[in-house]
Amino acid sequence: MLDACAELLDEIGYEALSTTRIADRAGVAIGSVYQFFPDKKAIAEALTRRNVELFVTRVGRRFLLEDYLSWWAAIDAIIDEYVDMHRSVPGFRSLHFSDVVELNLIDSSSDSNTVIAGRLRGLLLEEYGMADSEELDLAVLVAVEAGDAVLKLAFRRDADGAPEIVEEAKKLVRGYLRQALEPSRAGQPSRGS
């Protein structure tokens, strides 16, 4: 049912989506849809949750397989994964992490961008020696929100993501984090840019 929802979102959008259309596309009775989901909003939330979990998994896999010498390169890799999923995962481009759905998708106290910011924060702490602080928390959250907004612009301009705007999103996030976090790296050796 989630796959059917993803396909329909890409084809007709959220407003035209209905539980009846999802049931028809999935080849199941409408009662089967209602057995798991009370309405289309609940299905969209479940699909968004799945997309966030897939994004986090793909980023994690990428970091296991590749070695990033600088956190700038790691940030670029995260953005590249987002862009790739936007291009290749059904439903991903139609339901961004904080669009259409409620803010408490992953757990009761966090919206999806906050969860992603938390994962990025963990990466900066563990892999790149950033100092743990409230400033780091705020900077990473702002960077994720800003990057998400600029990447949405890239996909509004071009269905495959306007490359020049994707590059600007990377510059924006790197520049903001560099400015916001350099004091956090006091005493830490530079790992490149």
Side-chain angles (χ1 to χ4, degrees):
M1 289 181 265
L2 293 180
D3 291 340
C5 179
E7 292 169 6
L8 286 166
L9 281 167
D10 285 348
E11 292 170 19
I12 63 173
Y14 182 78
E15 292 304 317
L17 185 69
S18 70
T19 53
T20 302
R21 285 182 168 171
I22 293 168
D24 288 345
R25 176 63 61 95
V28 299
I30 191 70
S32 295
V33 173
Y34 289 124
Q35 180 180 0
F36 297 101
F37 306 105
D39 54 27
K40 76 175 185 177
K41 180 180 171 192
I43 299 171
E45 287 176 350
L47 179 60
T48 301
R49 186 179 304 111
R50 182 175 82 171
N51 284 344
V52 171
E53 291 168 357
L54 178 60
F55 176 74
V56 169
T57 298
R58 286 176 58 158
V59 167
R61 185 178 311 124
R62 197 168 184 156
F63 280 87
L64 285 175
L65 299 174
E66 300 173 30
D67 189 24
Y68 301 100
L69 298 178
S70 70
W71 64 277
W72 313 116
I75 301 282
D76 285 355
I78 291 168
I79 292 172
D80 289 341
E81 196 62 51
Y82 177 95
V83 169
D84 182 61
M85 285 185 66
H86 201 286
R87 292 175 179 155
S88 63
V89 174
F92 191 84
R93 70 175 173 256
S94 299
L95 284 180
H96 295 284
F97 297 149
S98 57
D99 292 347
V100 179
V101 293
E102 294 298 322
L103 294 178
N104 59 348
L105 297 176
I106 300 301
D107 63 46
S108 61
S109 63
S110 300
D111 66 64
S112 300
N113 278 347
T114 301
V115 171
I116 291 164
R119 300 293 168 91
L120 176 57
R121 177 187 174 281
L123 171 75
L124 293 174
L125 290 171
E126 293 170 25
E127 299 292 327
Y128 297 100
M130 293 288 175
D132 192 2
S133 67
E134 289 181 16
E135 290 80 13
L136 175 66
D137 293 347
L138 180 60
V140 171
L141 180 60
V142 169
V144 168
E145 292 288 343
D148 188 43
V150 175
L151 289 169
K152 287 176 187 173
L153 172 63
F155 285 96
R156 283 196 311 267
R157 289 277 175 100
D158 178 337
D160 286 329
E164 67 279 6
I165 297 177
V166 170
E167 190 56 39
E168 290 302 310
K170 289 178 181 181
K171 286 184 203 174
L172 177 108
V173 170
R174 287 189 310 249
Y176 174 74
L177 287 175
R178 178 181 289 129
Q179 182 266 336
L181 298 178
E182 281 305 317
S184 297
R185 292 186 52 83
Q188 297 291 327
S190 174
R191 296 188 68 166
S193 56

